[in-house]
């Protein structure tokens, strides 16, 4: 197991270094002239050159990268070009708010998704199965943007049940905190549910027909125990993989959901930085998102190993 | 046995139930039950910077700076110049030396008294190339500025300029103090009715009452929370549910929707922000005056205004808006002279079936409707217009001024000189970016207008200017857009100004 973890950690590190080079090169390849952007429409080429020198843009690219990467490693993400504020505190704030959204959504997606999958498998071919599949397909067939607006119009404008936008931190009260989360989480959940639910259903169907489940039943174990302990545990393995992949979709979905619900997270910060070509914010945000994605995948790999002993023992499938 | 069953038995399930019941009131109770009079206003775009001199984008930036800082003068909703930090001003006979007398006893939010040195520092900062302020061009006529005494400031100009008292009312001319200039972007300090509390990028900017504000009795609100809500569907829903009290700068689609609301209404004023069609007079075939005249005849401003803005705009002759006293009401808006346009195009040798690409900065449905409406009109004279909608940033960086034909738009300016000089004078910055129009007669009129402080003479000169552009306009300024805000019915005395501003200082809230 230790060897496996070290191997996976090594892979994550290599990916992060590669991504940092890619992010650095990609943002430097953008057609815009950062100095012109900072100095405004009436700046002269001379002023731009002076600022480029000050920012170190006239140095060779590899030196610029080295400088940037070593600063990033020390937690110094520089100053936002546009806002002239340090990037790091803004970014950590935004990340923490996005994390609240992402983790709540993942929690809801995994519990509701698995539950729907199990229900559909146990009652397969009957109405709960059909209802679950109609519900999940409806969710996945329309984008987050659409569901977000529908929720806002119904629960915000029409019924006045939930706040239509924004974020309240826990210090503002548990109620308002939760109330602001419900619609964004529901929107993200709806679009992600189908993968998990459908996959859990098919692997549960397979497991329920397997020999060990029949044996368990023959031993007279209660049906509840057969489903949850014997069938579900084995059916979970592919679901974990798909949940990890969903985390990737989630990061994409969060950008749309944060915009619709005016939720001040990392996704919106990145979009604004891209629109305004705010280089330091852009680079830091992309790199942090990459790191989050890597960590999510690593977690999935480790969970997978926990659930499947064959991986834990170094792939010794003889 | 019976006795025991009567006793409350705490199981895991009942404990959870009780915890749930206890949490319910907390869920229903709103946060911050008692926080004084708070106004929440929604803006679609987050502030670019908190440094007044560096501001380039309107919206939340201007509203924050207006409410947290003061300028030498201010402009009221009728665009008349009023005292702000300066209580009075006077000019020498030749209009080249201006003296401003400061209000005594004004303090910055950190307690530092305001004096003439702060004003001198601010204007030197505006003129500093390194700062890159958009106002630098407007103040390039200032040769020197000096503090005569702690409460008197003198501007020495290179040319006679009558509009200086209005020019110093600009948002970017907000007076800052040298002692705190390094923290302007993180903790701005001004002399305005509100002071800065916090700014969370992408989320909200909070300001609170400045108890030491120099105008007694103002402001009446304790706090203003400026929330950033990018989607208008979301902000209008928030307005209707009471989560926000005002929505800044509604697009025409949302104006119509909010008109039906029972809890909020639309406050709408005529404003100077204009949109139009730009042709580059140095590129073929627009270097031919006949082609320019043909296009001016072709564009039906009245119809395009209706199609693009659903009536929430007014067709105009030039950037001088129809509500301005200098606007020439007697000159017909013109347009839709198809036969006349056809004839001129034929004379200029433009073949039927000519393909013309029109570049349009996107993310602006009214402007896209404007372009589509023009395309349909152009068909009638045999021109095939192909719309090329580009992302705004790409358009402004790579296309504006570099393509032959485009749609574009600009915020309104405070005085007729600022409205037209940069666009139509041969040396004007926007003229040399956009359409490269050179007309010595127009130059003469504009130079004369900025050098007189007789209102009658200015009216005559700007009237003449509008007349000169009817036929030979280097682009068509089609309409000036109204400025509309969604406002909750419980908000009183929110002043909406054509300078794209919500003035919070006199607002009161009813239950």
């Amino acid at each position: 197991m230790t060897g496996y973890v070290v191997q996976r950690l090594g892979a994550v590190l290599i990916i992060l270094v590669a991504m940092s080079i890619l992010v650095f090169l990609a943002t430097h390849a953008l057609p815009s002239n950062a100095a012109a952007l900072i100095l405004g429409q009436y700046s002269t080429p001379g002023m731009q050159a002076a600022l480029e020198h000050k920012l170190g843009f006239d140095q060779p690219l590899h030196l610029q990268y080295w400088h940037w990467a070593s600063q990033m490693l020390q937690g110094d993400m520089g100053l936002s070009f546009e806002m002239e504020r340090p990037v790091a505190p803004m970014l950590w704030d935004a990340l923490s708010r996005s994390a609240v959204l992402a983790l709540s959504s993942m929690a809801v997606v995994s519990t509701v998704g698995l539950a729907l999958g199990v229900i559909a498998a146990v009652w397969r071919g009957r109405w709960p199965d059909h209802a679950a599949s109609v519900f999940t397909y409806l969710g996945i067939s329309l984008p987050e943007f659409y569901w977000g607006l529908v929720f806002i119009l119904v629960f915000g404008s029409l019924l006045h049940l939930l706040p239509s936008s924004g974020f309240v931190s826990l210090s503002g009260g548990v109620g308002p905190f939760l109330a602001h989360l419900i619609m964004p989480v529901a929107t993200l959940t709806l679009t992600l549910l189908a993968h998990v639910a459908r996959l859990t259903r098919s692997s549960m169907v397979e497991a329920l027909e397997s020999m060990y489940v029949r044996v368990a039943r023959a031993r007279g174990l209660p049906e509840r125990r057969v489903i949850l302990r014997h069938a579900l545990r084995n059916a979970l393995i592919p679901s974990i993989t798909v949940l990890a992949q969903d985390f990737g979709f989630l990061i994409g979905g969060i950008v749309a959901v944060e915009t619709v619900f005016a939720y001040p997270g990392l996704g919106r910060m990145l979009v604004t930085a891209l629109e305004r070509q705010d280089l330091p914010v852009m680079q830091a945000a992309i790199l942090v998102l990459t790191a989050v994605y890597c960590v999510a995948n690593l977690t999935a790999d480790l969970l997978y190993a926990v659930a499947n002993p064959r991986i834990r023992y170094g792939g010794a499938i003889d | 046995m019976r006795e025991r069953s009567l006793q409350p038995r705490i199981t895991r399930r009942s404990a959870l139930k009780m915890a749930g019941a206890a949490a319910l009131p907390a869920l229903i109770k709103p946060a911050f039950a008692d926080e004084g009079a708070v106004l929440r206003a929604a803006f679609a775009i987050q502030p670019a910077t908190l440094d007044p001199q560096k501001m380039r984008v309107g919206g939340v930036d201007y509203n924050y700076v207006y409410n947290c800082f003061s300028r030498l003068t201010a402009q009221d909703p009728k665009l008349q110049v009023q005292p702000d930090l300066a209580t009075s001003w006077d000019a020498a006979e030749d209009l080249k030396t201006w003296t401003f007398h400061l209000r005594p006893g004004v303090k910055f939010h950190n307690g530092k008294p305001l004096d003439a040195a702060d004003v001198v520092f601010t204007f030197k900062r505006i003129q500093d190339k390194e700062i890159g302020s958009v106002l630098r061009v407007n103040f390039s006529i200032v040769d020197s500025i000096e503090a005569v005494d702690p409460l008197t400031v003198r501007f020495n100009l290179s040319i006679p300029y009558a509009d200086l008292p209005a020019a110093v009312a600009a948002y970017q001319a907000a007076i800052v103090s040298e002692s705190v200039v390094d923290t302007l972007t993180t903790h701005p300090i001004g002399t305005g009715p509100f002071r800065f509390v916090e700014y969370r990028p992408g989320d909200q900017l909070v300001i609170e009452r400045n108890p030491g504000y120099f105008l007694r009795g103002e402001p009446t609100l304790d706090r203003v929370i400026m929330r950033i809500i990018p989607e208008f569907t979301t902000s209008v829903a928030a307005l209707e549910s009471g989560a926000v009290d005002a929505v800044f700068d509604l697009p025409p689609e949302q104006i119509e929707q909010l008109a039906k609301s029972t809890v909020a209404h639309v406050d709408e004023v005529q404003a100077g922000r204009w949109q139009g069609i730009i042709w580059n007079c140095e590129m073929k075939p627009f270097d031919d005056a006949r082609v320019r005249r043909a296009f001016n005849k072709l564009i039906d401003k009245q119809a395009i205004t209706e199609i693009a803005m659903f009536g929430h705009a007014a067709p105009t002759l030039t950037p001088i808006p129809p509500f301005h006293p200098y606007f020439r009401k007697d000159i017909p808006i013109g347009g839709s002279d198809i036969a006349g346009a056809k004839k001129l195009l034929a004379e200029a040798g433009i073949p039927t079936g000519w393909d013309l690409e029109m570049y349009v900065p996107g993310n602006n449905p009214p402007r896209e409707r404007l372009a589509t409406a023009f395309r349909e009109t152009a068909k009638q004279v045999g021109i095939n217009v192909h719309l090329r909608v580009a992302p705004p940033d790409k358009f402004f960086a790579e296309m504006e001024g570099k393509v032959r034909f485009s749609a574009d738009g600009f915020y309104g300016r405070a005085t007729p000189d600022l409205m037209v000089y940069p666009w139509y004078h041969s040396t004007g910055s926007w003229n040399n970016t956009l359409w490269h129009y050179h007309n010595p007669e127009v130059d003469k009129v504009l130079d004369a207008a900025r050098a007189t402080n007789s209102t009658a003479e200015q009216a005559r000169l700007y009237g003449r200017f509008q007349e000169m552009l009817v036929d030979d306009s280097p682009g068509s300024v089609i309409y000036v857009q109204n400025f509309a805000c969604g406002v909750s019915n419980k908000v009183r005395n929110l002043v909406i100004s054509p300078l794209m501003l919500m003035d919070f200082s006199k607002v009161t809230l009813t239950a």
Side-chain angles (χ1 to χ4, degrees), chain B residues 193 209-221 504-508:
Chain B
R209 198 166 77 86
N210 168 16
Y213 185 52
F214 55 78
L215 292 182
R216 277 177 191 281
E218 287 183 23
T220 37
L221 288 170
F504 304 126
S505 58
K506 296 177 188 67
V507 169
T508 53

Side-chain angles (χ1 to χ4, degrees), chain A residues 37-42 47 82-85 90 152 157 160 164-166 172 175-176 259-260 262 264 268 275-276, chain B residues 27 31 45-46 48 54 56 129-130 132 136 185 199 201-203 227-230 234 237-238 240-241 393 429-430:
Chain A
L37 213 73
I38 298 171
L39 288 173
Q41 72 195 88
Y42 301 118
M47 286 156 65
E82 189 186 43
M83 294 179 267
E84 296 181 278
R85 297 159 71 90
M90 286 195 290
I152 286 171
S157 286
H160 298 272
S164 52
S165 65
T259 305
V260 178
R268 256 185 72 200
E275 275 172 2
R276 303 187 179 179
Chain B
L27 280 172
I45 300 171
Q46 73 171 36
K54 292 187 180 173
R56 272 176 246 161
K129 283 182 178 180
E130 296 269 316
R136 196 165 67 84
T185 55
Y199 169 46
D203 185 13
R227 292 195 41 203
I228 312 302
I229 305 182
T234 316
E240 291 193 280
S241 70
D393 284 316
S429 54
W430 278 114

